[in-house]
Amino acid sequence: MTHKNAWNTYSAEDLKKLEKLSADYIAFLNSGKTERECAEIIVAMAKEHGYKDLAGVIAKGESLAKGDKVYAVNMDKMVMLLNIGDDIIGDGMNIIGSHIDSPRLDIKQNPLYESEDLAFLDTHYYGGLKKYQYVTIPLALHGVVVKPDGTKIKISIGEKDDEPVFIISDLLVHLAGEQMKKPLAEAVTGENLDILVGCKPLKGKEKEAVRAAVLKTLKDEYGIEEEDFVSAELEAVPAGKAREAGFDRSLIVGYGHDDRSCAFPALMALMEVSDPKTTSCGLFVDKEEIGSFGATSMGSRFFEYMLREVLDRLGVYSELNLGRCLRNSRMLSSDVSSAYDPLYSDRFDKKNASVLGHGLAIHKFTGARGKHGANDANAEYLGQIRQILDKHGVVYQTSELGKIDAGGGGTIAKVLAQYGMQVVDCGVALLSMHAPWETLCKADLYEAMKGYRAFLIEA
Ligand code: MN
Ligand code: MN
């Protein structure tokens, strides 16, 4: 079985739409570098398209009906969009779920120290990453600092041309004889991922004068005291913009393709299909990269609780109806897959790997060591999905996360599958997944959007 190269299927009109989607996606990546920033953009776009705040609907005691669109935000990091169709109980929902958190370095709660007239911020890495990839690249700081009185200071430093960036040093090659003999996993340690933030001492100060100068800058420019790090969430992410790559501009290099390259086409599809027959639901969740634990993750009950509220506002709430609605639903777990990399060909079973440019990548299962921990999608559901994709001329391929026992991974698929609904993983294939700069092919982004749209119309 061979798969099509999506590029060979495009008309001039397709190419125009593909380039528009790609440009919009690059803009999305550049303004959404954290889960909080992405959540904000998603809510703003939903509002523009007529979605109203579910919290407001509840507070005012308003009722909901077919055709209504609502959004719910959980702690500024997780968003649920719901576009109500004909029969939410009997038909269930067409759910597209993706995550908006990405691997990065989080600033510790007591991070600032000085050593030999250099000031550093200590970090704790978030998600699965190759630590050596985070040294000697420009980093930007994004996040929030919350004062004891509740004041929230938003931070974004290192993205604009006139802003400073931050850097983690690496041992010079001249002295790295020992380091170079170590396995990659040990050559750069987590505790050594400390960010250099200054070397200019505060005048008149004798001890730890550089540290004092950094604190003065934080206070003068941002209103932040040292103690405020305790109630801060600051993320160090690769500084700089996503951009086109290749002589033919067919690729996009960016930070956070996992999983914003699925979240964005999902959002576009949800905005485009404004009057679905079946209720559509978009889930944009946090904490996937650390196992879907925590209040803002897919593993929390937020989604279920918001659905209860919606059924209540529709006047059909009961435990029986909630269960029916959930188990009658279908879900696309929209997450990225590992594209076949010719430079590391021995890590893949070529005929079962997704290939850049060959369209939406469908993962029947993920997991590791004999599919352990996977949602293994039903053949019947895959049959339905194939029919939908074929009807809408979506180019798709199948994918496995590398060859057997090469490694593995999971997604939010298994969380939703617990409700007894049909779930399958499908998304965009990436090169260098979880690297500071990941690579995707524009055609796969476009086919993902087409596939998600077809699912919302037909499923
Ligand atoms: Mn992912
Ligand atoms: Mn990931």
Side-chain angles (χ1 to χ4, degrees):
M1 191 171 61
T2 52
H3 291 289
K4 273 192 263 189
N5 187 313
W7 291 104
N8 292 329
T9 69
Y10 294 150
S11 64
E13 182 65 17
D14 284 320
L15 289 171
K16 227 172 109 181
K17 288 182 190 163
L18 174 151
E19 292 300 347
K20 170 81 169 77
L21 182 74
S22 299
D24 290 347
Y25 173 58
I26 287 174
F28 175 75
L29 282 185
N30 291 341
S31 44
K33 283 202 154 181
T34 65
E35 56 280 12
R36 284 176 190 267
E37 290 171 358
C38 287
E40 205 175 315
I41 299 167
I42 290 163
V43 168
M45 197 168 291
K47 278 183 181 167
E48 271 175 38
H49 285 79
Y51 283 76
K52 52 185 177 182
D53 191 354
L54 180 60
V57 171
I58 297 166
K60 289 182 215 146
E62 292 172 359
S63 53
L64 291 172
K66 176 183 157 54
D68 282 335
K69 301 173 185 176
V70 288
Y71 69 86
V73 187
N74 186 12
M75 301 174 188
D76 297 338
K77 299 178 189 177
M78 171 186 186
V79 185
M80 167 182 160
L81 304 180
L82 206 74
N83 193 343
I84 301 165
D86 285 342
D87 178 7
I88 194 171
I89 312 292
D91 295 338
M93 302 169 286
N94 290 334
I95 304 169
I96 308 181
S98 54
H99 66 92
I100 49 177
D101 61 318
S102 297
R104 78 252 172 175
L105 307 178
D106 286 342
I107 306 302
K108 288 188 182 183
Q109 262 38 69
N110 184 15
L112 183 63
Y113 71 92
E114 175 174 336
S115 178
E116 293 305 312
D117 289 352
L118 298 176
F120 295 91
L121 284 181
D122 212 339
T123 69
H124 195 137
Y125 70 102
Y126 173 96
L129 51 81
K130 290 177 164 178
K131 300 176 190 85
Y132 72 86
Q133 293 179 331
Y134 268 82
V135 296
T136 71
I137 61 166
L139 298 169
L141 275 186
H142 291 247
V144 295
V145 178
V146 181
K147 306 288 267 185
D149 69 359
T151 314
K152 200 184 283 186
I153 302 162
K154 275 193 196 174
I155 300 290
S156 173
I157 311 166
E159 301 293 356
K160 298 195 180 114
D161 286 346
D162 62 349
E163 288 173 350
V165 293
F166 304 91
I167 196 91
I168 298 171
S169 63
D170 192 10
L171 187 60
L172 62 166
V173 69
H174 314 70
L175 302 181
E178 285 300 316
Q179 184 195 35
M180 302 275 267
K181 285 183 212 148
K182 288 183 185 173
L184 282 178
E186 294 165 21
V188 173
T189 63
E191 282 298 356
N192 249 14
L193 292 177
D194 294 355
I195 301 175
L196 183 58
V197 295
C199 75
K200 194 158 68 181
L202 188 67
K203 269 205 175 123
K205 181 105 172 130
E206 292 213 344
K207 272 181 80 181
E208 300 207 317
V210 177
R211 191 174 177 283
V214 168
L215 285 172
K216 186 174 181 326
T217 305
L218 287 176
K219 172 100 171 130
D220 293 349
E221 292 189 25
Y222 307 100
I224 299 169
E225 313 269 359
E226 184 170 20
E227 291 72 27
D228 294 333
F229 280 113
V230 169
S231 46
E233 283 179 1
L234 294 170
E235 306 177 9
V237 300
K241 290 180 172 11
R243 55 199 302 179
E244 294 177 312
F247 287 118
D248 58 3
R249 298 170 179 262
S250 59
L251 305 154
I252 299 173
V253 169
Y255 164 69
H257 282 331
D258 180 5
D259 183 27
R260 293 160 197 156
S261 68
C262 295
F264 184 73
L267 180 64
M268 292 299 102
L270 285 156
M271 296 302 113
E272 206 178 310
V273 184
S274 60
D275 192 18
K277 189 180 170 304
T278 305
T279 300
S280 63
C281 175
L283 295 172
F284 302 89
V285 303
D286 179 31
K287 299 286 181 279
E288 191 277 344
E289 295 295 357
I290 55 170
S292 294
F293 300 105
T296 53
S297 75
M298 196 66 248
S300 87
R301 296 211 169 86
F302 179 76
F303 163 61
E304 191 184 311
Y305 291 153
M306 289 305 108
L307 189 58
R308 283 169 201 266
E309 299 282 2
V310 168
L311 295 183
D312 182 46
R313 294 294 100 201
L314 284 165
V316 294
Y317 174 72
S318 72
E319 278 304 290
L320 264 179
N321 277 343
L322 174 73
R324 284 172 186 159
C325 172
L326 283 164
R327 73 172 188 272
N328 288 338
S329 294
R330 293 143 302 280
M331 191 225 184
L332 296 183
S333 166
S334 313
D335 209 340
V336 295
S337 75
S338 54
Y340 177 78
D341 187 339
L343 304 186
Y344 298 93
S345 57
D346 70 328
R347 296 293 87 198
F348 299 87
D349 167 19
K350 199 172 175 182
K351 67 187 185 311
N352 283 294
S354 48
V355 175
L356 284 196
H358 287 207
L360 181 64
I362 300 175
H363 269 260
K364 186 176 184 296
F365 53 86
T366 56
R369 300 177 310 281
K371 300 190 179 182
H372 188 88
N375 163 65
D376 197 347
N378 292 312
E380 290 85 348
Y381 185 44
L382 285 166
Q384 185 195 1
I385 296 295
R386 272 176 68 195
Q387 188 199 33
I388 291 170
L389 298 178
D390 287 339
K391 182 175 171 189
H392 286 254
V394 178
V395 180
Y396 65 90
Q397 56 185 329
T398 59
S399 184
E400 282 195 37
L401 192 53
K403 81 187 196 189
I404 294 173
D405 295 340
T411 65
I412 61 170
K414 59 181 184 296
V415 185
L416 273 295
Q418 288 183 50
Y419 291 112
M421 67 175 75
Q422 298 281 18
V423 180
V424 68
D425 280 297
C426 72
V428 175
L430 301 185
L431 287 178
S432 331
M433 191 195 296
H434 284 207
W437 299 99
E438 303 169 305
T439 299
L440 64 71
C441 170
K442 287 177 179 176
D444 298 329
L445 185 75
Y446 185 55
E447 294 305 317
M449 197 280 289
K450 281 168 59 185
Y452 297 159
R453 187 176 57 195
F455 169 76
L456 296 178
I457 296 169
E458 305 283 349

